[in-house]
Amino acid sequence: MSPTGDTPAAPAPAPARRKRMPRAEREQQMIAIAEAVFSERGYLAASMDEIAERVGVSKPMLYEYFNSKEGLLLACIGQSRAELRQVTEQAVVGASTAEEALRRGLGAFFSFIRERRESWSLLRHEMALIGTPAADGIEETRRQQTDLIAALMSTYFDGGPSFAVEATAEVVVGACERLAIWCERHDEVTPEQATEYAMDLLWGGLARRASAPSSERP
């Protein structure tokens, strides 16, 4: 007891230490939140202050990880591009015919843009980014999808000259991109419906160049 007869107060508990998040996990958190802010505000109006506040870190930490706002945007675009490539490639694994492979690939693309609306929003709002590395990153995403389709054609189609294969792949990517933008205005259109719309138009021209099913190949 104290000299006054009072029971001494218990010492205040030490403040709990905030658990340090692993760098890779923190980076993914920053990218996810930045993607949401860029989608909501647009790249030009988005601020690093708001992103840092939503993440719960200081703005200097954002710059430590990504160097600049554009660097953070490039990280968002790069991750979306990698995820789109993964889902597209996985979708066509095991397809036995050209038609099945194309339908699976288109379905994966239209499902991606429905499920990852914020990622898709970044990829399609390129006009504000013309002349920047971010615009190059968006074009690289198109190039990635064109290369994937060209590779698909070389496997399942009698592709003919390389220029003809590349040209056809560009047409497929351009058509699907415009259809995806149209789907944004018609939310009732499902990925499955969008896939069938694309197949109805694209397969008619591609069918005559399709190779035999894998089971019938020598």
PDB file of all heavy atoms in Angstrom, residues 178 180-188:
ATOM      1  N   ARG A 178     -13.487  -4.114 -78.211  1.00  0.00           N
ATOM      2  CA  ARG A 178     -14.645  -3.259 -78.433  1.00  0.00           C
ATOM      3  C   ARG A 178     -15.911  -3.902 -77.868  1.00  0.00           C
ATOM      4  O   ARG A 178     -16.766  -3.213 -77.303  1.00  0.00           O
ATOM      5  CB  ARG A 178     -14.819  -2.991 -79.932  1.00  0.00           C
ATOM      6  CG  ARG A 178     -13.749  -2.109 -80.541  1.00  0.00           C
ATOM      7  CD  ARG A 178     -13.594  -0.793 -79.814  1.00  0.00           C
ATOM      8  NE  ARG A 178     -14.875  -0.081 -79.665  1.00  0.00           N
ATOM      9  CZ  ARG A 178     -15.028   1.028 -78.962  1.00  0.00           C
ATOM     10  NH1 ARG A 178     -13.998   1.544 -78.318  1.00  0.00           N
ATOM     11  NH2 ARG A 178     -16.203   1.617 -78.892  1.00  0.00           N
ATOM     12  N   ALA A 180     -16.029  -5.858 -75.315  1.00  0.00           N
ATOM     13  CA  ALA A 180     -15.937  -5.730 -73.867  1.00  0.00           C
ATOM     14  C   ALA A 180     -16.385  -4.341 -73.409  1.00  0.00           C
ATOM     15  O   ALA A 180     -17.065  -4.196 -72.383  1.00  0.00           O
ATOM     16  CB  ALA A 180     -14.506  -6.001 -73.407  1.00  0.00           C
ATOM     17  N   ILE A 181     -16.009  -3.306 -74.155  1.00  0.00           N
ATOM     18  CA  ILE A 181     -16.448  -1.948 -73.822  1.00  0.00           C
ATOM     19  C   ILE A 181     -17.965  -1.835 -73.967  1.00  0.00           C
ATOM     20  O   ILE A 181     -18.640  -1.219 -73.139  1.00  0.00           O
ATOM     21  CB  ILE A 181     -15.718  -0.930 -74.718  1.00  0.00           C
ATOM     22  CG1 ILE A 181     -14.219  -0.900 -74.360  1.00  0.00           C
ATOM     23  CG2 ILE A 181     -16.332   0.460 -74.574  1.00  0.00           C
ATOM     24  CD1 ILE A 181     -13.371  -0.079 -75.311  1.00  0.00           C
ATOM     25  N   TRP A 182     -18.509  -2.450 -74.989  1.00  0.00           N
ATOM     26  CA  TRP A 182     -19.969  -2.461 -75.172  1.00  0.00           C
ATOM     27  C   TRP A 182     -20.643  -3.168 -74.002  1.00  0.00           C
ATOM     28  O   TRP A 182     -21.700  -2.725 -73.521  1.00  0.00           O
ATOM     29  CB  TRP A 182     -20.302  -3.150 -76.482  1.00  0.00           C
ATOM     30  CG  TRP A 182     -21.775  -3.309 -76.732  1.00  0.00           C
ATOM     31  CD1 TRP A 182     -22.647  -2.374 -77.233  1.00  0.00           C
ATOM     32  CD2 TRP A 182     -22.559  -4.488 -76.483  1.00  0.00           C
ATOM     33  NE1 TRP A 182     -23.920  -2.891 -77.313  1.00  0.00           N
ATOM     34  CE2 TRP A 182     -23.900  -4.192 -76.858  1.00  0.00           C
ATOM     35  CE3 TRP A 182     -22.268  -5.750 -75.981  1.00  0.00           C
ATOM     36  CZ2 TRP A 182     -24.927  -5.111 -76.735  1.00  0.00           C
ATOM     37  CZ3 TRP A 182     -23.292  -6.683 -75.869  1.00  0.00           C
ATOM     38  CH2 TRP A 182     -24.611  -6.357 -76.246  1.00  0.00           C
ATOM     39  N   CYS A 183     -20.049  -4.247 -73.532  1.00  0.00           N
ATOM     40  CA  CYS A 183     -20.636  -5.006 -72.409  1.00  0.00           C
ATOM     41  C   CYS A 183     -20.728  -4.149 -71.147  1.00  0.00           C
ATOM     42  O   CYS A 183     -21.624  -4.359 -70.322  1.00  0.00           O
ATOM     43  CB  CYS A 183     -19.807  -6.254 -72.124  1.00  0.00           C
ATOM     44  SG  CYS A 183     -20.008  -7.577 -73.341  1.00  0.00           S
ATOM     45  N   GLU A 184     -19.801  -3.195 -70.986  1.00  0.00           N
ATOM     46  CA  GLU A 184     -19.862  -2.314 -69.822  1.00  0.00           C
ATOM     47  C   GLU A 184     -21.160  -1.511 -69.807  1.00  0.00           C
ATOM     48  O   GLU A 184     -21.685  -1.182 -68.740  1.00  0.00           O
ATOM     49  CB  GLU A 184     -18.675  -1.354 -69.819  1.00  0.00           C
ATOM     50  CG  GLU A 184     -17.361  -1.987 -69.431  1.00  0.00           C
ATOM     51  CD  GLU A 184     -16.290  -0.923 -69.278  1.00  0.00           C
ATOM     52  OE1 GLU A 184     -15.738  -0.500 -70.316  1.00  0.00           O
ATOM     53  OE2 GLU A 184     -16.023  -0.503 -68.145  1.00  0.00           O
ATOM     54  N   ARG A 185     -21.651  -1.164 -70.996  1.00  0.00           N
ATOM     55  CA  ARG A 185     -22.889  -0.388 -71.076  1.00  0.00           C
ATOM     56  C   ARG A 185     -24.119  -1.279 -70.970  1.00  0.00           C
ATOM     57  O   ARG A 185     -25.237  -0.775 -70.883  1.00  0.00           O
ATOM     58  CB  ARG A 185     -22.937   0.400 -72.401  1.00  0.00           C
ATOM     59  CG  ARG A 185     -21.755   1.323 -72.606  1.00  0.00           C
ATOM     60  CD  ARG A 185     -22.044   2.338 -73.712  1.00  0.00           C
ATOM     61  NE  ARG A 185     -22.362   1.709 -74.989  1.00  0.00           N
ATOM     62  CZ  ARG A 185     -21.458   1.373 -75.911  1.00  0.00           C
ATOM     63  NH1 ARG A 185     -20.170   1.569 -75.671  1.00  0.00           N
ATOM     64  NH2 ARG A 185     -21.830   0.814 -77.050  1.00  0.00           N
ATOM     65  N   HIS A 186     -23.913  -2.585 -71.020  1.00  0.00           N
ATOM     66  CA  HIS A 186     -25.018  -3.539 -70.954  1.00  0.00           C
ATOM     67  C   HIS A 186     -24.669  -4.609 -69.927  1.00  0.00           C
ATOM     68  O   HIS A 186     -24.274  -5.722 -70.268  1.00  0.00           O
ATOM     69  CB  HIS A 186     -25.269  -4.149 -72.335  1.00  0.00           C
ATOM     70  CG  HIS A 186     -25.648  -3.149 -73.381  1.00  0.00           C
ATOM     71  ND1 HIS A 186     -26.947  -2.698 -73.535  1.00  0.00           N
ATOM     72  CD2 HIS A 186     -24.901  -2.482 -74.289  1.00  0.00           C
ATOM     73  CE1 HIS A 186     -26.985  -1.805 -74.517  1.00  0.00           C
ATOM     74  NE2 HIS A 186     -25.758  -1.654 -74.982  1.00  0.00           N
ATOM     75  N   ASP A 187     -24.819  -4.227 -68.674  1.00  0.00           N
ATOM     76  CA  ASP A 187     -24.394  -5.100 -67.586  1.00  0.00           C
ATOM     77  C   ASP A 187     -25.163  -6.413 -67.559  1.00  0.00           C
ATOM     78  O   ASP A 187     -24.727  -7.388 -66.946  1.00  0.00           O
ATOM     79  CB  ASP A 187     -24.566  -4.373 -66.242  1.00  0.00           C
ATOM     80  CG  ASP A 187     -23.764  -5.015 -65.125  1.00  0.00           C
ATOM     81  OD1 ASP A 187     -22.553  -5.213 -65.311  1.00  0.00           O
ATOM     82  OD2 ASP A 187     -24.362  -5.343 -64.080  1.00  0.00           O
ATOM     83  N   GLU A 188     -26.319  -6.436 -68.216  1.00  0.00           N
ATOM     84  CA  GLU A 188     -27.114  -7.665 -68.227  1.00  0.00           C
ATOM     85  C   GLU A 188     -26.504  -8.743 -69.127  1.00  0.00           C
ATOM     86  O   GLU A 188     -26.897  -9.918 -69.060  1.00  0.00           O
ATOM     87  CB  GLU A 188     -28.550  -7.371 -68.682  1.00  0.00           C
ATOM     88  CG  GLU A 188     -28.718  -6.987 -70.156  1.00  0.00           C
ATOM     89  CD  GLU A 188     -28.457  -5.506 -70.444  1.00  0.00           C
ATOM     90  OE1 GLU A 188     -27.913  -4.807 -69.557  1.00  0.00           O
ATOM     91  OE2 GLU A 188     -28.804  -5.056 -71.549  1.00  0.00           O
TER      92      GLU A 188
END
